[in-house]
Amino acid sequence: MARSFNICPQIDPLVTTRVPGVALDMLFLVIIQALAVIFLAKFIHLFLRRYNQPSAVSQILAGVAVGGMGLRNAILHVDVDDVEDMYGGYICAARVVYMFLVGLDLDLAALRNATHRCVALAYATVAASLLVAAIVSTGMYGSMMHSPVKTPELLAATLMLAITNTSSITVARVAGELNLTVTENGRLLVAAAIITNLICVVGDAVLSSTALAKEKSQDLYHTSPQIKKGFLALAVAGVAVWQVRPLVTRINQRNVGQHHVRTRHLVAILFGIWFISNIQQLLGFDGMPTSLALGMAFPREGPAARSVADALVAPVNGFVLPFYFATIGMRLDYNSMSGAIIVPGLLLTLLGLVAKAIGAASASTYLNIPISDALRYSVLLNVKGHVDTMNMKFAKSEGVWAEQALYAMIIGNLISTVIAGPAAAAVLRREKGEYRTWHQAMESLGAEQELRMLVCAHSAHAAPGVLSLVELLVITPQEQPAVPVLHFFEAPRDRSARTPYHQQARGDEATEGKGGPDPVAQMNMVVDVFSKTTGIFFHQIDVVSLGASQDAAVACRGAEEAHAGLLLLPCYKEQRFDGKMACRLEERWKLNHDVLERAPCTVGLLVDRPYRGSGTSFQTPIGIAPETGRTLVHPCSDRTVTHVIAAVFLGGPDDREAVSFACRLAEHPAIGLTVFRFVKRSTYDTVTSSTSRAAAAAADELDVPFQEGDVDERFLWRFYENYASRELAMYVEKVVESPTDVVETLEGMAGMFSLVVLGRGGRQPVELMAGLERWAEGGSEIGPVGEILASNESLEMGSVLVMQQHTVAISPPRQ
């Protein structure tokens, strides 16, 4: 005879009986069921991923198929309540673990910048759903699935929660897998789903606590009211969220310089998260909000976050989530299927879609999004997953509806989750198409608009320069989206090791003893310092270098996936200790060349000079920059600045992009900017006359069509009005007669500026480029002006940033 085995507790946390009908030998059938679901889901996804369908859809379909094989009846052959007993504990645990990862991965700065939009969409859909549910419940009272209910108030309240609720775990999983969270609309969708879910979780807790508090029986509820437990759960969650940052910071300090924390620290962190979340469930409440809050409060920088993510992401994505979504389909009982269950299930799905569509459409005007996009979002916000069936025992025990209604709700949840796949694919296609066809250039981006960036670096030595530029570009770190940092490193040459490198790289003493310091751990230290000091979240992504061509493909694909408007990477010219500039590796030159040819956005190549003899350099954040002994003054005022930079303008789109980049830097209070415009003496009167400037101003005000030759004049007029006239930057015109004048002026910038920003060239005025062919041939990737400045071996010369503007054939207006 099989022994009894307690697989998971009942949904009711106050009852700790064993699961009826479950034996130890049945546990092996559960394992077989899980393996079958995961294998079948991967097979189905091989076909569905061609149509951009999320893996959750494949896993649900696999659950439906496996559920129809009879394994479900072999495990549990009673009614739906036993199905909840079987899967309820696993579902709750999976939600807690994954929502912690969702909170850890949330881009808080970007969400903070769009708080009003997220709240507006969530409140609009919640209000519309509550209204529709209230209207429908009046007609369903007394006839809810052929069974009378106790009171119309309980039916209305429960139906409101059922129609309003959104499965935030499903929406977050779909959006994260399809990479929608990097876009503004994708973050809007995930945040609205989380807010809606939290509202319904609070509403369900209030409803159950109020109903249980009215009972007068001599049981646990009488001696310990549920309302008091609610305050206790809230206090525990508040203290845990308040203490998580200082505790994790202390652990990071004990593991400074390491890629991962020690094993005992990792176990302590995971146990603490699990314990705090389970306290909420033991008190009779959902632990999902607490785990989400813990993830959001968890420090992103440091080895603790990396250790937790590396320990949880693989098993959660590989096993926990596939089986979680599969149980949605495995809940179906084919023996009980009939029209009396399927039709109400379809009706519940339709009611939810109508309610969400009304709310999203009403908020579309405020959100400035098309109605078609709002309707797609409503389909995703109607995803139910498991959320509606989490409280079915309470609904049935209170007599809100009959057992057939619970089966109908399972049908509705399955339908709403499956149809969300095509809606998500439609949103993905629109976001990709908009990114590829829109002009991803800083010239067309306002100073107040969000700038998404991607940084590439091949070593910890090259990273500070580009990270410092990102710091200077960001005026408000609390509102800057996360900046991905692609770290290309060479894998160990010891091919005999069977353990993958990402598992070997722990930054411990054993690794450093074999072949020197770990490059990943060194980059971790640099990124952590900049993240903690600047307040900007740099998301480090380690990539094994496989050659210049493949690295360039990874960088360009990463820029497209991040929807970046700017791609920053070090130039192939590097400064030696003696100040001379040289290309140390041919692969670096080829990487620059391939990125410039294939980049989907504007590219900036930084020729960094870390060994500059005097003045400031870009090796440390501004907050901890060492004193240089020199006082730098803004060129237009008496205030002190940290960096004095220059922008060189000859003409053409690349130079306009360089000035646009420099203007963004000029918004930072630690930057003083001077823009140098080179003008040929023979064309000086034509270019700088008051008539040409007046024409440019009139064209700018009237927004009339203009010729290509007038673009530079119109651009410089805007610069003068927005920056030079407000004393944010100085404008200087340099009249030149020969190539020698250009070279002398550029070389004279040594010792004056810590950074010179210029365009790559190739589309500059011919009269200014005449005579510079020698430098154009020597530096085709950075242009002749860039070659003149980058080849200067003076230790007084500052860093050089070469910009190439992104171009597209068609640039349709944004809707």
Side-chain angles (χ1 to χ4, degrees):
M1 180 180 296
R3 294 176 295 170
S4 177
F5 186 75
N6 186 13
I7 292 182
C8 61
Q10 300 277 358
I11 288 292
D12 189 347
L14 301 175
V15 181
T16 57
T17 58
R18 297 177 181 271
V19 177
V22 179
L24 181 58
D25 54 353
M26 295 300 175
L27 179 61
F28 296 101
L29 290 178
V30 176
I31 296 176
I32 293 175
Q33 191 180 39
L35 294 177
V37 163
I38 295 174
F39 175 78
L40 184 58
K42 289 184 178 293
F43 179 78
I44 296 175
H45 194 59
L46 291 176
F47 172 75
L48 293 182
R49 68 179 181 183
R50 302 177 183 177
Y51 305 96
N52 294 324
Q53 295 299 299
S55 61
V57 175
S58 303
Q59 291 154 6
I60 293 174
L61 296 178
V64 173
V66 173
M69 295 178 181
L71 291 177
R72 172 187 176 277
N73 293 329
I75 298 173
L76 292 166
H77 41 77
V78 263
D79 59 4
V80 69
D81 287 340
D82 291 327
V83 176
E84 293 308 308
D85 294 336
M86 186 65 207
Y87 299 127
Y90 174 81
I91 292 170
C92 293
R95 292 175 74 239
V96 166
V97 173
Y98 185 68
M99 288 310 294
F100 172 78
L101 290 178
V102 170
L104 185 63
D105 193 54
L106 278 179
D107 194 343
L108 300 181
L111 290 178
R112 190 180 295 111
N113 195 26
T115 301
H116 297 291
R117 290 168 51 84
C118 300
V119 172
L121 179 59
Y123 280 7
T125 54
V126 168
S129 301
L130 293 176
L131 180 61
V132 171
I135 296 175
V136 172
S137 64
T138 58
M140 300 178 66
Y141 176 62
S143 60
M144 184 61 183
M145 301 296 293
H146 310 291
S147 176
V149 297
K150 183 182 296 185
T151 61
E153 293 80 8
L154 274 178
L155 173 61
T158 307
L159 196 60
M160 285 180 179
L161 290 176
I163 294 180
T164 303
N165 213 344
T166 300
S167 176
S168 57
I169 183 173
T170 305
V171 176
R173 173 60 176 170
V174 170
E177 185 179 359
L178 298 182
N179 207 32
L180 293 175
T181 52
V182 299
T183 66
E184 185 178 355
N185 291 331
R187 294 192 297 264
L188 170 68
L189 186 63
V190 174
I194 292 176
I195 294 173
T196 303
N197 198 180
L198 292 178
I199 291 175
C200 292
V201 167
V202 174
D204 178 64
V206 172
L207 177 63
S208 60
S209 299
T210 305
L212 292 174
K214 293 180 180 179
E215 298 184 2
K216 303 299 182 181
S217 59
Q218 299 295 326
D219 56 8
L220 189 57
Y221 296 121
H222 182 70
T223 57
S224 180
Q226 195 73 358
I227 295 180
K228 294 183 180 179
K229 292 185 177 182
F231 285 110
L232 178 60
L234 187 62
V236 171
V239 172
V241 173
W242 176 48
Q243 288 294 322
V244 64
R245 176 168 288 274
L247 291 176
V248 174
T249 301
R250 185 176 302 175
I251 293 177
N252 285 333
Q253 292 174 351
R254 294 184 177 181
N255 295 270
V256 65
Q258 305 295 318
H259 182 61
H260 286 160
V261 298
R262 296 177 177 86
T263 304
R264 63 175 182 271
H265 291 153
L266 176 60
V267 172
I269 293 174
L270 296 179
F271 177 78
I273 296 170
W274 181 264
F275 178 74
I276 295 299
S277 301
N278 272 332
I279 287 180
Q280 313 297 313
Q281 297 183 183
L282 291 175
L283 293 174
F285 299 96
D286 196 341
M288 184 274 290
T290 302
S291 64
L292 176 66
L294 289 174
M296 295 174 65
F298 203 94
R300 267 67 169 176
E301 70 279 354
R306 291 189 294 268
S307 301
V308 171
D310 291 345
L312 293 181
V313 168
V316 167
N317 291 338
F319 178 81
V320 176
L321 285 182
F323 195 58
Y324 172 87
F325 289 114
T327 53
I328 299 177
M330 287 189 291
R331 281 175 162 178
L332 290 179
D333 186 0
Y334 294 93
N335 298 326
S336 303
M337 291 295 100
S338 64
I341 294 178
I342 297 177
V343 173
L346 294 173
L347 179 61
L348 287 173
T349 303
L350 183 61
L351 288 176
L353 284 173
V354 171
K356 299 291 186 180
I358 293 174
S362 61
S364 61
T365 303
Y366 174 78
L367 300 175
N368 194 24
I369 58 176
I371 296 293
S372 58
D373 287 352
L375 295 179
R376 296 188 188 102
Y377 299 160
S378 66
V379 177
L380 289 169
L381 291 177
N382 190 49
V383 173
K384 304 301 181 183
H386 286 290
V387 293
D388 281 352
T389 51
M390 297 299 293
N391 61 343
M392 59 172 48
K393 287 184 68 68
F394 169 76
K396 185 179 178 181
S397 63
E398 291 295 320
V400 177
W401 48 41
E403 183 177 322
Q404 296 91 336
L406 306 184
Y407 285 106
M409 185 171 290
I410 294 176
I411 293 289
N413 295 349
L414 190 149
I415 296 174
S416 66
T417 307
V418 171
I419 64 176
V427 174
L428 178 63
R429 286 194 299 269
R430 175 174 174 78
E431 294 292 342
K432 282 186 174 181
E434 184 177 1
Y435 176 78
R436 291 173 179 174
T437 57
W438 185 253
H439 191 206
Q440 301 296 336
M442 299 188 67
E443 180 186 357
S444 58
L445 195 67
E448 71 286 349
Q449 290 182 279
E450 177 182 283
L451 175 62
R452 292 189 290 267
M453 295 173 278
L454 176 70
V455 174
C456 297
H458 44 72
S459 67
H461 176 74
V466 287
L467 296 182
S468 295
L469 286 181
V470 174
E471 178 193 9
L472 296 174
L473 285 170
V474 177
I475 306 301
T476 309
Q478 296 79 11
E479 299 180 358
Q480 172 63 34
V483 179
V485 179
L486 286 181
H487 172 218
F488 297 103
F489 67 97
E490 295 184 1
R493 299 184 180 277
D494 184 9
R495 300 297 181 182
S496 61
R498 298 183 179 181
T499 306
Y501 179 76
H502 72 277
Q503 297 180 9
Q504 295 179 356
R506 304 291 178 182
D508 52 13
E509 294 78 2
T511 305
E512 295 184 2
K514 300 178 181 179
D518 177 24
V520 175
Q522 288 184 324
M523 179 63 75
N524 291 151
M525 293 182 62
V526 175
V527 172
D528 290 344
V529 168
F530 273 88
S531 295
K532 187 174 182 179
T533 306
T534 64
I536 304 171
F537 176 47
F538 293 98
H539 180 209
Q540 179 177 336
I541 304 173
D542 300 311
V543 181
V544 177
S545 179
L546 299 177
S549 298
Q550 296 191 39
D551 290 350
V554 171
C556 295
R557 184 169 61 251
E560 185 172 357
E561 291 177 352
H563 285 231
L566 175 63
L567 173 59
L568 290 173
L569 71 160
C571 183
Y572 63 91
K573 281 183 174 291
E574 300 180 59
Q575 188 180 32
R576 302 190 314 193
F577 293 106
D578 57 359
K580 295 184 178 180
M581 307 298 296
C583 177
R584 295 181 176 179
L585 295 175
E586 191 73 15
E587 288 291 312
R588 304 275 173 83
W589 172 85
K590 184 171 177 54
L591 174 64
N592 287 172
H593 177 272
D594 291 349
V595 169
L596 290 170
E597 291 292 329
R598 301 157 60 177
C601 60
T602 290
V603 178
L605 298 180
L606 177 63
V607 184
D608 195 16
R609 295 181 185 266
Y611 309 116
R612 188 185 180 203
S614 62
T616 54
S617 62
F618 297 91
Q619 295 303 301
T620 58
I622 292 180
I624 58 176
E627 296 291 338
T628 61
R630 298 178 58 185
T631 302
L632 301 178
V633 181
H634 194 279
C636 298
S637 64
D638 296 333
R639 63 184 176 91
T640 304
V641 296
T642 305
H643 294 284
V644 177
I645 67 174
V648 177
F649 184 88
L650 282 75
D654 291 346
D655 284 7
R656 294 197 301 270
E657 192 74 356
V659 175
S660 299
F661 183 95
C663 289
R664 190 119 185 170
L665 291 177
E667 297 284 347
H668 199 285
I671 296 296
L673 170 64
T674 301
V675 174
F676 292 90
R677 185 185 187 186
F678 288 80
V679 182
K680 195 77 170 178
R681 181 173 295 277
S682 59
T683 60
Y684 178 75
D685 294 335
T686 304
V687 173
T688 63
S689 65
S690 59
T691 304
S692 63
R693 291 186 176 180
D700 188 60
E701 293 178 358
L702 299 176
D703 198 20
V704 296
F706 50 90
Q707 300 297 324
E708 180 65 25
D710 301 329
V711 178
D712 292 342
E713 295 301 320
R714 187 172 181 178
F715 171 79
L716 288 177
W717 175 259
R718 288 180 177 176
F719 161 76
Y720 188 85
E721 287 293 314
N722 296 330
Y723 292 91
S725 63
R726 296 167 51 199
E727 296 187 350
L728 292 176
M730 178 176 287
Y731 175 71
V732 178
E733 288 185 352
K734 288 288 184 179
V735 181
V736 295
E737 294 183 354
S738 64
T740 305
D741 296 337
V742 176
V743 176
E744 290 180 354
T745 304
L746 293 175
E747 291 181 346
M749 294 182 179
M752 298 176 59
F753 305 101
S754 57
L755 176 68
V756 180
V757 188
L758 51 94
R760 181 190 179 192
R763 294 171 283 183
Q764 296 168 327
V766 178
E767 63 271 12
L768 289 175
M769 305 308 297
L772 301 179
E773 293 80 6
R774 177 167 63 91
W775 288 275
E777 295 175 358
S780 58
E781 279 67 43
I782 58 178
V785 177
E787 181 66 20
I788 294 173
L789 291 172
S791 300
N792 191 301
E793 297 180 355
S794 172
L795 287 175
E796 302 296 323
M797 178 63 72
S799 300
V800 179
L801 181 66
V802 183
M803 303 293 296
Q804 175 184 273
Q805 188 182 81
H806 174 250
T807 57
V808 289
I810 300 176
S811 180
R814 290 186 177 181
Q815 299 180 358

